[in-house]
Amino acid sequence: MKDTKKKASRFQGNMVPFHILLTILAVLANASIVYFMFHTTRFSALSKSSFVLVNVLLLMMLAAVNFLLMRAFMNRKKGTFIMACGLLAVFLALGSYGTFAIWKINHNVDKITSTTTTESIMASVVVYNAEGHFAIADPSALDGKTVGLATGTGVAEIGKNNLNATGAKISYKEYQDYSSLALGLFSNEIDAAVLPQNYQSMFQNETGLAEFLSNTKSIADYSDTITVTKRGGSDKDITREPFTVLLIGNADGLSDTMILCSVNPLSMKVTMTSLARDSYVPISCYNGGQSKLNAAHAVSVDCTMQTIENLVGVKIDYYVDVNFQCVVDVVNALGGIVVNSPASFVGQNASSNRGSYTVWVPKGDNVKLNGEQALAFARERHLFATGDFARQVHQQEVIEAMMRSLLRTRDVNTFLKVMDAAGKNMQTNMSMDQMISFITYTMQKINRFYDQDHPEHVLDIEGWRVTGYSSSLWSDATQSALYIYRLWDGSLADTKKAIERNLMSDRTITPMKTMQASVNWVFHKPTISNDVYNETVVAPDVPTTIGNYVGRNISALQAWAQGLGITVNVSKVQDSSQANGTIIYQDIPEGTPIGSIDSINVTVVDNTGNAEATPTPTATAEEVPSPTPAPTPTPTPAPTPIPTPEPTPTPTPEASPSPTAEGGTPRSR
């Protein structure tokens, strides 16, 4: 008994450490709860009743814990102190998690919705030489030279500023886009070009440009951050007024995917219109100049929006700009998505190095894909007969699958992972209040009228695309054809009608106060029709005569010949002084009319060991006269006075090699 009293006396006599501990825990617990409650107010529109209920419960629990804390201070009992410390610790842990979660959500939301952002820009000063011999080794050697820039790009600004800092006297030549800039470099219009650091991957799949990449070299790399202010979004009430959203999937500074979504909040119908990235259209920020549609993104998102607005004739209210990694991370955060894959294949990964085929995509209905697989599925086009059309369908299907998974998500951790992925890789000019109001509006419809196992049925998705036809533009500078996609005027007109039909832009929607349970929206998997219009087809821009391909890569000739139905016959030789694939001989001379050519024979350097060791084809031609039987007259000396051997030395065999005796002798057509 006395021992107990002594212990209690010692405990009561040394209360300062316990007071300090409880005070710290109490301050932290109260601060975390207040922070959580204050910073969740922006999300209260999701469910005002739930918001009020949660906050009342939190305040009651906080009051109870604080009351227990006061009792501990007053009665000075060890058991009460231990209980108070335990409850405060639990309360603090919950409050800390809630504080962290709401901070993370708010942080990512602010990043996503900010119209003023900082972007990391990486630029390279690139030189070109057809033989791979680079006379310009560093920026100082550009003194007195001409450097090309893509007008209005951050890459051009950073490259120019750093080059000027070297003190070299440089002349600058401006180009509308990166493709024309590259053409200027490859045709020796300029001595160097300021290009994005990943220019190799940008042009890797560009017919007419890719062949030159092996003969380029970066002599300087620069990086910096710039502040970019993007166009703000509309102030519409998107729960009552129809609106449009441009989905942009960017890669290497270009817009790899462009889908214009029109949304009607009454019918919950969404029309997704795909636009081909290679569409050859007037670019709004090029002063009326034309280029591929994806080139507009290299200047700005605003340029892309304005270009599509002018093209389709529909005002764009908002944009959502994501990169490849966003698709990968969001799909993984959702635990995968389910699609119908028509074929199994190995696709490209999310690496900036295009052409890295390492991702296995299985075939089958309702196949579950992870992030890398979903991205590969959305990017693949070469495997399918309809090419880019199939890719557009799959892109829309991936978007639909992600929306379906998001609507089914009820796990807080999953939502946090999705927000984290979006915060790192996504930008939009839609405000937080607008997004919350539309989410709330959608969830209310789901909770009242739809099968909770299939909440995606709240959306009626219609797939659409702007149709056109493949064509090309000829470049005299590089003697190659650049692939383009020309759009049908009729398809543009029909697209505008389809969007306006969904938007019902002539009136404002007044939502019904009550919804009828009999309302049944049918979910349609996105499909795209392949419409062809009775319009004049612009013939591919090609030369009327063949150019000189000697000294160039075989891929240039093959790309040119393929579009014209001309067969290229290749002979290979070894020549260590020249790069593999270099043409050293063509039998059809430059200037020959294309109409008279059905095939062309060339000799190409191949140092892989699969070619003959002969350096040129002309050597074998010179050896043709060697079989001449010159010694045959000697067995018949002169038994008679008649000079019978005289006719035998006639040089008739020497005339036989005339058709192809010299490698440079042209073949008549």
Side-chain angles (χ1 to χ4, degrees), residues 212-482:
F212 298 92
L213 296 177
S214 60
N215 292 324
T216 61
K217 178 184 178 182
S218 174
I219 60 172
D221 296 318
Y222 305 115
S223 63
D224 200 355
T225 56
I226 61 174
T227 301
V228 180
T229 302
K230 300 176 181 178
R231 188 172 90 180
S234 171
D235 59 357
K236 287 183 176 179
D237 180 356
I238 60 176
T239 65
R240 302 183 60 188
E241 300 176 75
F243 60 95
T244 54
V245 183
L246 178 63
L247 304 181
I248 304 173
N250 71 76
D252 302 324
L254 305 177
S255 48
D256 195 74
T257 301
M258 286 158 287
I259 301 176
L260 180 57
C261 299
S262 58
V263 184
N264 187 316
L266 178 61
S267 64
M268 295 301 287
K269 183 173 182 177
V270 180
T271 299
M272 294 196 299
T273 303
S274 293
L275 296 107
R277 64 182 185 180
D278 293 322
S279 300
Y280 192 67
V281 300
I283 306 298
S284 66
C285 50
Y286 287 179
N287 297 320
Q290 290 188 298
S291 185
K292 292 184 178 182
L293 180 56
N294 67 345
H297 192 276
V299 179
S300 66
V301 171
D302 291 357
C303 182
T304 301
M305 295 176 68
Q306 292 168 11
T307 298
I308 295 176
E309 285 179 342
N310 296 338
L311 185 67
V312 182
V314 176
K315 177 71 174 177
I316 300 176
D317 297 309
Y318 312 101
Y319 72 84
V320 176
D321 192 3
V322 303
N323 56 27
F324 283 167
Q325 196 61 44
C326 185
V327 177
V328 175
D329 292 348
V330 169
V331 171
N332 285 338
L334 292 169
I337 60 173
V338 176
V339 301
N340 293 328
S341 177
S344 56
F345 60 92
V346 178
Q348 299 183 74
N349 61 30
S351 170
S352 60
N353 182 20
R354 296 190 180 188
S356 300
Y357 292 87
T358 60
V359 182
W360 170 252
V361 179
K363 176 183 179 180
D365 294 335
N366 298 320
V367 173
K368 190 171 185 178
L369 306 180
N370 61 28
E372 286 283 3
Q373 290 172 320
L375 178 64
F377 178 73
R379 296 178 67 188
E380 180 59 41
R381 62 187 175 97
H382 299 292
L383 179 68
F384 306 103
T386 54
D388 196 54
F389 307 154
R391 176 169 61 180
Q392 291 173 5
V393 173
H394 296 159
Q395 288 172 350
Q396 293 190 15
E397 187 173 358
V398 167
I399 293 172
E400 176 267 310
M402 292 171 67
M403 292 170 61
R404 180 172 64 241
S405 296
L406 278 170
L407 289 171
R408 292 181 176 182
T409 298
R410 297 294 184 269
D411 181 64
V412 175
N413 288 327
T414 298
F415 183 73
L416 290 176
K417 291 178 182 178
V418 171
M419 291 299 300
D420 194 43
K424 295 177 182 177
N425 307 288
M426 175 178 161
Q427 280 283 299
T428 183
N429 61 351
M430 185 178 290
S431 72
M432 180 63 192
D433 290 340
Q434 289 173 320
M435 287 191 289
I436 289 178
S437 63
F438 188 75
I439 293 172
T440 303
Y441 180 77
T442 303
M443 296 306 295
Q444 287 174 348
K445 287 193 170 186
I446 292 174
N447 293 332
R448 291 177 185 175
F449 307 109
Y450 289 92
D451 181 1
Q452 299 302 301
D453 293 331
H454 299 89
E456 68 275 9
H457 288 183
V458 72
L459 297 175
D460 179 10
I461 301 178
E462 175 189 29
W464 197 270
R465 74 172 177 87
V466 182
T467 61
Y469 56 94
S470 298
S471 187
S472 63
L473 290 175
W474 181 256
S475 170
D476 288 327
T478 61
Q479 286 291 294
S480 59
L482 301 177

Side-chain angles (χ1 to χ4, degrees), residues 633-646:
T634 55
T636 56
T640 63
I642 303 173
T644 52
E646 192 173 40

Side-chain angles (χ1 to χ4, degrees), residues 49 61 63 118 145 152 173 207 249 260 332 420 451 486 595 641:
S49 59
M61 292 172 63
T118 57
K145 306 292 186 180
K173 181 178 176 64
T207 302
L260 180 57
N332 285 338
D420 194 43
D451 181 1
R486 296 189 182 274

Side-chain angles (χ1 to χ4, degrees), residues 139-143 160-170 172 222:
S140 62
L142 292 173
D143 190 60
K160 188 175 182 179
N161 291 340
N162 281 276
L163 287 175
N164 289 338
T166 65
K169 297 180 179 180
I170 300 173
Y172 295 98
Y222 305 115

Side-chain angles (χ1 to χ4, degrees), residues 31-108:
S32 64
I33 296 302
V34 172
Y35 180 94
F36 176 82
M37 294 172 61
F38 180 79
H39 286 85
T40 54
T41 54
R42 67 191 304 185
F43 305 102
S44 61
L46 290 170
S47 178
K48 292 183 179 179
S49 59
S50 298
F51 177 78
V52 172
L53 178 61
V54 170
N55 279 279
V56 169
L57 290 174
L58 286 174
L59 288 173
M60 291 176 62
M61 292 172 63
L62 190 62
V65 173
N66 286 325
F67 175 77
L68 182 62
L69 178 63
M70 293 300 297
R71 288 289 304 271
F73 278 114
M74 292 176 65
N75 62 27
R76 305 167 68 90
K77 290 183 178 180
K78 185 177 181 180
T80 307
F81 268 89
I82 294 175
M83 183 181 297
C85 287
L87 289 175
L88 279 174
V90 173
F91 212 69
L92 179 60
L94 294 174
S96 299
Y97 176 79
T99 299
F100 170 76
I102 199 63
W103 172 85
K104 194 170 188 178
I105 291 174
N106 282 320
H107 176 69
N108 286 315

Side-chain angles (χ1 to χ4, degrees), residues 370-645:
N370 61 28
E372 286 283 3
Q373 290 172 320
L375 178 64
F377 178 73
R379 296 178 67 188
E380 180 59 41
R381 62 187 175 97
H382 299 292
L383 179 68
F384 306 103
T386 54
D388 196 54
F389 307 154
R391 176 169 61 180
Q392 291 173 5
V393 173
H394 296 159
Q395 288 172 350
Q396 293 190 15
E397 187 173 358
V398 167
I399 293 172
E400 176 267 310
M402 292 171 67
M403 292 170 61
R404 180 172 64 241
S405 296
L406 278 170
L407 289 171
R408 292 181 176 182
T409 298
R410 297 294 184 269
D411 181 64
V412 175
N413 288 327
T414 298
F415 183 73
L416 290 176
K417 291 178 182 178
V418 171
M419 291 299 300
D420 194 43
K424 295 177 182 177
N425 307 288
M426 175 178 161
Q427 280 283 299
T428 183
N429 61 351
M430 185 178 290
S431 72
M432 180 63 192
D433 290 340
Q434 289 173 320
M435 287 191 289
I436 289 178
S437 63
F438 188 75
I439 293 172
T440 303
Y441 180 77
T442 303
M443 296 306 295
Q444 287 174 348
K445 287 193 170 186
I446 292 174
N447 293 332
R448 291 177 185 175
F449 307 109
Y450 289 92
D451 181 1
Q452 299 302 301
D453 293 331
H454 299 89
E456 68 275 9
H457 288 183
V458 72
L459 297 175
D460 179 10
I461 301 178
E462 175 189 29
W464 197 270
R465 74 172 177 87
V466 182
T467 61
Y469 56 94
S470 298
S471 187
S472 63
L473 290 175
W474 181 256
S475 170
D476 288 327
T478 61
Q479 286 291 294
S480 59
L482 301 177
Y483 174 81
I484 61 172
Y485 188 71
R486 296 189 182 274
L487 303 178
W488 299 114
D489 291 335
S491 182
L492 289 170
D494 287 347
T495 297
K496 181 180 180 181
K497 292 177 183 177
I499 294 174
E500 289 181 338
R501 182 170 62 247
N502 185 39
L503 293 177
M504 295 185 291
S505 55
D506 59 332
R507 67 185 181 93
T508 298
I509 296 172
T510 302
M512 294 180 289
K513 294 183 179 179
T514 59
M515 301 285 292
Q516 300 296 322
S518 61
V519 173
N520 182 26
W521 287 292
V522 180
F523 181 82
H524 301 284
K525 177 184 174 181
T527 57
I528 300 176
S529 61
N530 185 15
D531 295 328
V532 178
Y533 292 79
N534 186 22
E535 299 176 13
T536 301
V537 176
V538 179
D541 186 11
V542 295
T544 58
T545 61
I546 189 174
N548 181 21
Y549 286 88
V550 174
R552 299 182 62 194
N553 192 278
I554 181 63
S555 61
L557 176 61
Q558 291 172 330
W560 169 82
Q562 183 178 7
L564 299 170
I566 297 175
T567 303
V568 179
N569 301 314
V570 179
S571 298
K572 299 179 180 180
V573 297
Q574 294 181 353
D575 187 350
S576 58
S577 65
Q578 300 194 62
N580 284 335
T582 302
I583 299 175
I584 62 174
Y585 166 74
Q586 69 179 57
D587 68 339
I588 304 295
E590 179 182 5
T592 303
I594 292 176
S596 64
I597 304 172
D598 54 23
S599 65
I600 180 172
N601 302 311
V602 295
T603 303
V604 177
V605 174
D606 184 357
N607 297 317
T608 61
N610 299 322
E612 299 178 1
T614 52
T616 64
T618 59
T620 56
E622 293 175 356
E623 294 172 3
V624 175
S626 60
T628 304
T632 54
T634 55
T636 56
T640 63
I642 303 173
T644 52

